[in-house]
Amino acid sequence: MKVSVIAVILALCLTCASAAKEATKKTKKPKLYVPQIDCDVKAGKIINPEFIVKCPPGCQDVKYRVYGTDIYASFSSMCGAAIHSGIIDNSGGKILVQKVAGHSGYKGSFSNGIRSLSLPRWRESFIVSEGKPRKGVIYPPTLEYSSSKSSTVKSESRKSEQDIKFTKTIDTSNTSEKSSEPGETFHKDYRTTPIPSLTTQVTTTTPAPTTAATEPINVTPKPTAPLMTTRTTTTTAAVKPRPPVHRVRDIGSSGVHPAYSSVAAAASRQIQAAQGRGQNQALRGTSTYASNRNVPRATTGLQRQEPVAAFRKPAEPPLNLALETDLWKPGLSLFEAGFSSKEELNPKPLEPVSQGNPNCKVDLSFLIDGSWSIGKRRFQIQKQFLSDVSQALDIGIAGPLMGIIQYGDDPSTEFNLKTYANSRDLRNAIEKISQKGGLSNVGRALSFVNKNFFLDANGNRGGAPNVAIVMVDGWPTDKVEEASRLARESGINIFFVTIEAADENEKQNVIEPNFVDKAVCRTNGFYSINVPSWFSLHKVVQLLVKRVCDTDRLACSKTCLNSADIGFVIDGSSSVGTGNFRTLLQFVANISKEFEISDTDTRIGAVQYTYEQRLEFGFDKYSTKQDVLNAIKRINYWSGGTSTGEAINYASEHLFSKSKPNKRKIMILITDGRSYDDVQVPAMTAHQNGKLVLFLQGVIAYSIGIAWAAQDELEAIATDPDKEHSFFVDEFDNLYKFVPKIIQNICTEFNSQPRN
């Protein structure tokens, strides 16, 4: 009996222990909530030292910048760094982020489709790993951002009913931190929230007699003049609200965004002059600011708002002197004073926007050097040069359009041809360009321009010459010859502006000797400008503009496909037949549609011959590709004998005599049999009236023989070397096979011209 009782007790104990163990397991392993972030969130924006987050798909875009390898600068996109390190792929996933100290020499590399850039120095770093919790570490379910994403304001412990404490949420991200290393300047990324209500909101709290916490009491706001921000204050005693202050939050702790540093300096000087005259005038639109980011600022009781529209004067009479004095307190930034751009410091009447210089209609791409070797000061000189050139060009839709590509390790488009349509907006955009750093890979930049820049989607206008101006500090760090050749053959006129080129002692470091002559459109000196010093760069503005706008000398705009007068001499003899004649016309159309046809580009003409000859249409008859193709389709089969020699003479006199002097003249003769002319003497006549006459007129002759055509006659007609200008096919249905070969030969011959 005792044994049974003991057994029951032991069983109950084991059951209880098992239940307690299961309960303990459940309480020890709560489900971890992982917050999701956007692709562009930088590690420096999050205060937590260690956390797990989930990245969305599609973070492999180049706009999500990454700096470093293995250890990344906190200015980097966390998701981009995770893809670069191979932790996740472009489909997204969980990652573990751990903050570490900042250091010097972040190395750039290309990995997993992400180009990570190099960086001399940054204040904080991070590492990424697989998104699995580490043992003993508790991870936050929500992230603490350095920007004001939470508007919660904690109440202070009560000291006295007369003590009033104002709190202000401050952006501690300091994303505008500058390094002493060249080129380390970045524009801050921030989001603009909807413009808040124009009515000032005041919230006060009254202390309870028995607790240290305060309980908020809402007070109906008094009507005020329209303001630019909404203000929320928290106090420990009911007080009379102060007059509202026009402020926009400071971005970061440095006081002024780097892009507006020059504006702030001007504002400071204007303030000092205004204070010298006295403060009894109407409200001024300027402010001093804290140039030293280490100077503490007095708490103002203002909760920061996101940047909003520019400052507006209220409709009411000017604010009182107290407000004016408060606005000018040292420590207030230019943005807090209500300004967002330089123009508002010196308001001017609106000027009419120019449509551009119609005598300089070009599509222009500037390739600017953003490498570390150029340094900050020279990069600013380069930007000033671009600004001066854009002003001298007179940018506009009826004249020149301009885009900018910055190159370093890799090229990137700052803005394309259709982004800005006047010099004023373009100059403002140039001022905001920040240096990206890296090497001076000019060849890679030229390849990028050729493939990606001059597209219809980017504003390329087709009829305007394409011009690329390459700015080079010293010499490139890669080869440019092949990329330049392909760009020239695409019709891009390449100019080089080299500054402080290699001297005799430095030439051994140049990767590709004579790189300028290998790159520019022509080697006659027109397309290259050498400037001995960056401080002399401003002297060549007018010279460069004059050359770019001389469109008649932009030789590389003329390509094998847009600069010829092509005359077809078509055999319409009885041996061809109606069906084959239609096949022959299709062959003519297939060749024609490969060219850029207009009254200023390639033009097409046609002659049909038997014993007699007739001009089907001349070079000046049709100026669009569709009109030419329709005209070819309408040619009627003639039928008759074959007099090839006379046909060449006729084409020379009635077709090519009307060709333009600056056009390449190309004759393509198509026949299916031997000429009825005498073989020997007529052959000499054909040579004299054909080859010789055509040679004197600069005509390049191609001969296409079908079926019973005589090989000796084909070679006599064709320009030397015969092998490249004479073709034979056994039947009409195979004519189409020779279209690519003929086009290739025409272009090879065109591109082999001397470049001097």
Side-chain angles (χ1 to χ4, degrees):
M1 185 64 180
K2 289 182 179 180
V3 174
S4 300
V5 171
I6 292 171
V8 171
I9 292 172
L10 286 174
L12 290 173
C13 290
L14 289 173
T15 303
C16 293
S18 177
K21 190 174 181 181
E22 290 298 322
T24 304
K25 283 183 180 180
K26 291 180 181 179
T27 55
K28 282 185 178 179
K29 293 184 178 180
K31 185 177 180 181
L32 176 65
Y33 176 77
V34 178
Q36 181 162 325
I37 60 172
D38 294 331
C39 295
D40 59 349
V41 175
K42 304 173 179 63
K45 280 286 185 182
I46 298 176
I47 297 174
N48 307 78
E50 183 173 337
F51 50 89
I52 296 177
V53 291
K54 184 177 182 180
C55 293
C59 295
Q60 206 170 6
D61 198 299
V62 293
K63 65 184 178 182
Y64 307 125
R65 295 286 183 89
V66 178
Y67 299 86
T69 301
D70 298 329
I71 297 178
Y72 302 94
S74 61
F75 195 74
S76 307
S77 158
M78 291 183 290
C79 296
I83 296 175
H84 178 265
S85 61
I87 304 302
I88 60 173
D89 56 24
N90 201 36
S91 61
K94 296 178 184 179
I95 60 171
L96 171 62
V97 179
Q98 296 170 275
K99 298 288 190 68
V100 295
H103 66 275
S104 302
Y106 294 89
K107 294 182 179 180
S109 63
F110 183 82
S111 179
N112 301 311
I114 294 284
R115 165 60 67 182
S116 175
L117 304 176
S118 59
L119 194 65
R121 183 179 305 158
W122 200 248
R123 57 183 167 76
E124 185 185 66
S125 310
F126 69 97
I127 57 176
V128 290
S129 56
E130 190 177 356
K132 292 182 179 179
R134 293 196 303 143
K135 188 175 181 181
V137 179
I138 299 176
Y139 294 94
T142 58
L143 302 176
E144 187 177 357
Y145 287 83
S146 58
S147 59
S148 56
K149 298 206 171 185
S150 173
S151 58
T152 304
V153 181
K154 296 181 180 180
S155 302
E156 297 286 338
S157 298
R158 180 166 58 90
K159 292 182 181 180
S160 169
E161 290 187 3
Q162 301 300 321
D163 289 340
I164 301 175
K165 296 188 177 293
F166 295 96
T167 59
K168 179 179 181 181
T169 307
I170 300 173
D171 186 350
T172 58
S173 62
N174 196 15
T175 55
S176 64
E177 174 174 345
K178 299 181 179 178
S179 169
S180 60
E181 297 296 330
E184 191 178 349
T185 303
F186 298 92
H187 290 294
K188 290 180 289 294
D189 296 326
Y190 60 94
R191 299 180 180 176
T192 303
T193 58
I195 298 177
S197 170
L198 296 180
T199 304
T200 300
Q201 296 178 357
V202 180
T203 305
T204 62
T205 59
T206 304
T210 57
T211 62
T214 60
E215 182 178 354
I217 300 175
N218 293 328
V219 179
T220 304
K222 297 180 180 180
T224 62
L227 299 177
M228 295 310 298
T229 62
T230 299
R231 192 173 75 160
T232 303
T233 61
T234 303
T235 67
T236 56
V239 295
K240 183 178 180 180
R242 293 178 57 201
V245 181
H246 291 273
R247 294 185 181 176
V248 178
R249 77 172 176 95
D250 177 25
I251 309 203
S253 62
S254 63
V256 177
H257 192 288
Y260 294 95
S261 58
S262 60
V263 186
S268 179
R269 291 192 295 270
Q270 213 167 350
I271 288 303
Q272 292 171 5
Q275 288 176 332
R277 293 193 299 267
Q279 297 183 350
N280 57 350
Q281 301 176 21
L283 173 65
R284 294 149 173 89
T286 52
S287 168
T288 57
Y289 67 100
S291 59
N292 188 335
R293 61 173 56 89
N294 294 323
V295 176
R297 300 178 183 176
T299 56
T300 61
L302 292 180
Q303 181 184 353
R304 293 183 310 162
Q305 303 294 329
E306 295 291 332
V308 293
F311 172 76
R312 252 185 342 202
K313 280 190 177 181
E316 300 296 328
L319 298 177
N320 57 32
L321 185 60
L323 173 58
E324 181 177 350
T325 306
D326 183 82
L327 180 62
W328 285 350
K329 281 183 179 179
L332 293 184
S333 74
L334 178 66
F335 286 109
E336 288 176 318
F339 290 101
S340 61
S341 68
K342 185 174 181 179
E343 285 77 4
E344 295 170 79
L345 296 176
N346 301 294
K348 296 179 181 179
L350 292 176
E351 298 177 0
V353 178
S354 171
Q355 296 298 303
N357 179 8
N359 298 318
C360 184
K361 190 173 183 180
V362 296
D363 287 344
L364 174 62
S365 169
F366 252 104
L367 281 70
I368 64 173
D369 191 339
S371 62
W372 290 131
S373 66
I374 194 174
K376 289 183 178 180
R377 186 179 184 186
R378 288 179 290 180
F379 189 76
Q380 291 299 322
I381 293 173
Q382 183 178 220
K383 291 202 301 182
Q384 184 59 51
F385 176 73
L386 296 182
S387 181
D388 293 343
V389 169
S390 69
Q391 183 69 23
L393 282 170
D394 188 11
I395 301 297
I397 56 175
L401 293 177
M402 177 174 157
I404 292 180
I405 291 172
Q406 182 179 174
Y407 68 87
D409 291 335
D410 293 298
S412 60
T413 302
E414 297 291 343
F415 40 83
N416 59 37
L417 294 168
K418 66 180 182 180
T419 308
Y420 300 106
N422 61 75
S423 296
R424 181 186 60 200
D425 293 344
L426 183 59
R427 294 178 72 186
N428 291 336
I430 290 170
E431 179 60 31
K432 297 174 184 177
I433 296 175
S434 60
Q435 186 178 4
K436 65 180 294 181
L439 301 174
S440 298
N441 290 332
V442 176
R444 189 173 293 179
L446 285 167
S447 180
F448 177 84
V449 169
N450 185 30
K451 295 176 182 177
N452 301 294
F453 188 83
F454 292 108
L455 305 175
D456 293 345
N458 293 335
N460 187 52
R461 291 175 289 182
N466 294 158
V467 177
I469 301 175
V470 185
M471 307 283 294
V472 183
D473 173 46
W475 57 88
T477 53
D478 65 346
K479 294 186 176 182
V480 302
E481 185 173 14
E482 180 63 15
S484 300
R485 181 186 67 80
L486 295 173
R488 290 194 304 269
E489 291 178 4
S490 298
I492 301 174
N493 296 274
I494 301 175
F495 286 77
F496 260 58
V497 179
T498 53
I499 307 98
E500 299 179 5
D503 58 26
E504 290 300 323
N505 296 326
E506 294 174 323
K507 284 185 177 179
Q508 60 183 352
N509 300 322
V510 179
I511 293 177
E512 190 174 29
N514 302 319
F515 65 88
V516 174
D517 285 346
K518 292 177 181 178
V520 294
C521 176
R522 295 288 184 268
T523 58
N524 54 12
F526 182 78
Y527 293 88
S528 58
I529 299 175
N530 183 30
V531 184
S533 167
W534 279 95
F535 302 103
S536 304
L537 188 58
H538 65 280
K539 297 179 181 179
V540 302
V541 170
Q542 294 300 329
L543 174 62
L544 180 61
V545 169
K546 182 179 179 181
R547 292 185 181 183
V548 168
C549 292
D550 190 355
T551 54
D552 290 336
R553 296 190 63 181
L554 298 181
C556 285
S557 296
K558 299 177 178 66
T559 70
C560 61
L561 301 178
N562 69 5
S563 58
D565 280 346
I566 302 176
F568 290 93
V569 181
I570 304 167
D571 186 349
S573 61
S574 302
S575 59
V576 174
T578 303
N580 288 334
F581 188 76
R582 304 321 299 177
T583 303
L584 191 154
L585 292 182
Q586 185 61 53
F587 172 72
V588 172
N590 289 342
I591 293 177
S592 298
K593 67 184 180 182
E594 294 295 325
F595 292 86
E596 300 170 20
I597 298 174
S598 75
D599 54 352
T600 58
D601 295 317
T602 293
R603 303 186 303 170
I604 304 293
V607 168
Q608 184 181 178
Y609 74 95
T610 57
Y611 282 130
E612 300 177 288
Q613 306 83 32
R614 74 183 180 200
L615 180 66
E616 298 292 351
F617 54 88
F619 293 132
D620 57 355
K621 181 71 172 177
Y622 302 109
S623 59
T624 70
K625 183 178 293 188
Q626 192 57 52
D627 287 345
V628 167
L629 296 178
N630 291 338
I632 292 170
K633 192 182 298 184
R634 290 195 299 267
I635 295 176
N636 293 319
Y637 177 46
W638 203 356
S639 187
T642 305
S643 232
T644 305
E646 286 300 320
I648 293 173
N649 288 333
Y650 182 89
S652 174
E653 182 179 350
H654 293 86
L655 187 59
F656 288 102
S657 63
K658 306 294 194 302
S659 182
K660 291 183 179 180
N662 63 339
K663 297 287 187 181
R664 287 171 62 82
K665 304 168 185 64
I666 299 173
M667 181 186 77
I668 300 177
L669 184 143
I670 311 162
T671 181
D672 80 325
R674 181 176 292 276
S675 173
Y676 284 1
D677 300 291
D678 185 40
V679 176
Q680 296 298 328
V681 176
M684 289 295 297
T685 303
H687 182 273
Q688 292 172 353
N689 294 331
K691 266 195 174 180
L692 185 58
V693 172
L694 292 172
F695 174 75
L696 290 175
Q697 290 184 343
V699 176
I700 300 168
Y702 286 81
S703 58
I704 317 295
I706 310 161
W708 299 280
Q711 187 67 40
D712 56 337
E713 289 184 4
L714 296 176
E715 293 176 358
I717 294 167
T719 298
D720 292 330
D722 300 337
K723 188 179 294 185
E724 296 179 4
H725 297 86
S726 176
F727 303 93
F728 180 84
V729 60
D730 54 356
E731 36 182 80
F732 282 88
D733 288 341
N734 291 328
L735 272 173
Y736 73 93
K737 296 179 180 179
F738 285 95
V739 172
K741 182 64 175 175
I742 292 170
I743 299 298
Q744 180 183 346
N745 285 10
I746 290 173
C747 286
T748 300
E749 194 168 43
F750 178 90
N751 295 326
S752 63
Q753 297 177 95
R755 292 176 47 237
N756 52 21

